[in-house]
Amino acid sequence: EEEAFQALCQNCLKASTARVRHVASLARTIRQLPNESLVPFLDLSRRLAGLKLLGTGDPGAREAMELLLDASLQRSLDNEQKGWYSTEGPPGHTKFVPGPQVMLALQCLANCFGEHSLGEALLPVVVCVLKSEGWLCVWHQPATFAVSKNIERAREAGATLLLNASVALRSSRLRASHRALLHGAIVALRIAPEHERLNLAAGNLLAMGGSVEDAKACLQCQPLPPLRTMAAAVFRGELDGPDGCAFPAVWQPESPAGTGAQTADAHPRRPGRAPIPARHRRARGGG
C-alpha cells in the first residue's frame, strides 16, 4: 500500500498517468483506513482526478476509477460514517460540522467531469450526493452559528460540482437528472445567492426546461442580476431561446424602446453643431 501511495504521488509530480493497480490499491486503502487518517489519501485522489491522471482509456482504468470514487464518497458522505463531522456549540445546541473529508470528496467528483466521456455517467452519482447527509449538513447549517472554514470550502466545491454537472447535462442524451439537479441548485442558492458559480449552474438548469415554479423559487432567492432577469423571463413565459444554449447567452433582453440605444450596425450620426457666436456671423446684404 505504501508503494502505491508513493508511486501515485510521483505521478502527480511528473504529471504521468497512474497505473491501474495503484489506483485500485488507493481505493482499497481509503476503505480500510480510520477516519482520522483519510485526509492525505482523499487529497491524493482529488489531485489525480484534477490532473486527469487516472488513465480512463487504459484497460481496467475506468473500473479502478469507479472504485476510487465510490470509496471516497462513501467514506466522506455516507450517513453511517460518523467520522467526517465534529460537534460544536453548547449542550443542547450542538451542530454537526463537516470535516475536510467532505470538501475533498466533492472536489474529487467535480474534477472527474474533466473527462468529457464520463460526464453523462457521473450525473446519477451527483444526484445521490445531493441526497447524502454530508451534502445536507453543508447547506443546511442553522443561521445562529458562524460558518466554519470547512463549510465554506465544502460549499465552494459543491458549487463547482453543480456547475460541472449542469454543463454535462446540456450535452447529455438522458436528462432524467435535471429535476434533482435544479432542486439542489435552488436549495444551495438560498444559502449563497451571491455565489457566481451557483448562479451559473442554476441558470443553465433553468434554461433546460425549468417551470414557472422553478423560476419563482429562483427569484425568491434574490440571485445576481443576470439570473434574476432570466428567471423573470421564464416566469412570464418570454424565454424562447434554445434549451441547449448556455446561460447567460440563452437570454438577452431587448433594449427598452425610447432609450436611444444604438445597434452595432447602425450608421454613426454627426454630433449636433453648436450655435455660431454672433460676432462671427457675416451679414448678408442684397445685390
Side-chain angles (χ1 to χ4, degrees), residues 118-205:
L118 301 177
E120 185 171 357
L122 291 173
L123 293 176
V125 180
V126 179
V127 173
C128 292
V129 168
L130 298 182
K131 299 177 182 178
S132 66
E133 186 174 347
W135 179 272
L136 297 177
C137 187
V138 168
W139 294 103
H140 290 271
Q141 289 294 316
T144 55
F145 293 100
V147 178
S148 66
K149 288 292 184 182
N150 285 331
I151 293 180
E152 288 182 357
R153 292 166 182 165
R155 288 179 178 176
E156 187 70 27
T160 303
L161 176 61
L162 284 172
L163 178 58
N164 290 351
S166 71
V167 173
L169 187 66
R170 288 196 297 109
S171 58
S172 175
R173 293 167 294 178
L174 181 64
R175 294 188 174 181
S177 306
H178 175 262
R179 172 57 50 188
L181 292 175
L182 179 55
H183 175 73
I186 292 175
V187 170
L189 200 63
R190 293 195 187 105
I191 304 299
E194 74 289 345
H195 199 290
E196 184 178 1
R197 291 181 183 176
L198 280 179
N199 278 261
L200 292 174
N204 279 338
L205 294 166

Side-chain angles (χ1 to χ4, degrees), residues 8-183:
L8 291 174
C9 290
Q10 291 298 318
N11 291 133
C12 292
L13 292 175
K14 299 178 181 179
S16 58
T17 303
R19 291 187 177 182
V20 174
R21 62 184 180 90
H22 290 160
V23 176
S25 177
L26 178 60
R28 183 169 56 252
T29 301
I30 290 176
R31 289 188 180 277
Q32 296 174 352
L33 281 177
N35 292 311
E36 58 271 13
S37 304
L38 279 176
V39 171
F41 296 88
L42 292 174
D43 183 60
L44 179 59
S45 303
R46 173 186 67 89
R47 291 177 181 274
L48 289 170
L51 295 173
K52 301 180 182 180
L53 302 179
L54 294 176
T56 54
D58 300 335
R62 183 162 181 171
E63 289 76 6
M65 190 207 70
E66 291 173 354
L67 291 174
L68 179 60
L69 187 58
D70 180 69
S72 300
L73 294 175
Q74 188 175 13
R75 291 302 306 273
S76 303
L77 302 174
D78 190 8
N79 56 3
E80 295 181 358
Q81 303 293 333
K82 298 302 181 182
W84 50 261
Y85 65 79
S86 59
T87 56
E88 295 181 3
H93 297 279
T94 58
K95 67 170 181 176
F96 298 116
V97 180
Q101 296 94 325
V102 178
M103 178 267 294
L104 292 173
L106 293 177
Q107 285 186 349
C108 181
L109 179 56
N111 289 343
C112 287
F113 279 93
E115 295 287 348
H116 299 293
S117 60
L118 301 177
E120 185 171 357
L122 291 173
L123 293 176
V125 180
V126 179
V127 173
C128 292
V129 168
L130 298 182
K131 299 177 182 178
S132 66
E133 186 174 347
W135 179 272
L136 297 177
C137 187
V138 168
W139 294 103
H140 290 271
Q141 289 294 316
T144 55
F145 293 100
V147 178
S148 66
K149 288 292 184 182
N150 285 331
I151 293 180
E152 288 182 357
R153 292 166 182 165
R155 288 179 178 176
E156 187 70 27
T160 303
L161 176 61
L162 284 172
L163 178 58
N164 290 351
S166 71
V167 173
L169 187 66
R170 288 196 297 109
S171 58
S172 175
R173 293 167 294 178
L174 181 64
R175 294 188 174 181
S177 306
H178 175 262
R179 172 57 50 188
L181 292 175
L182 179 55
H183 175 73

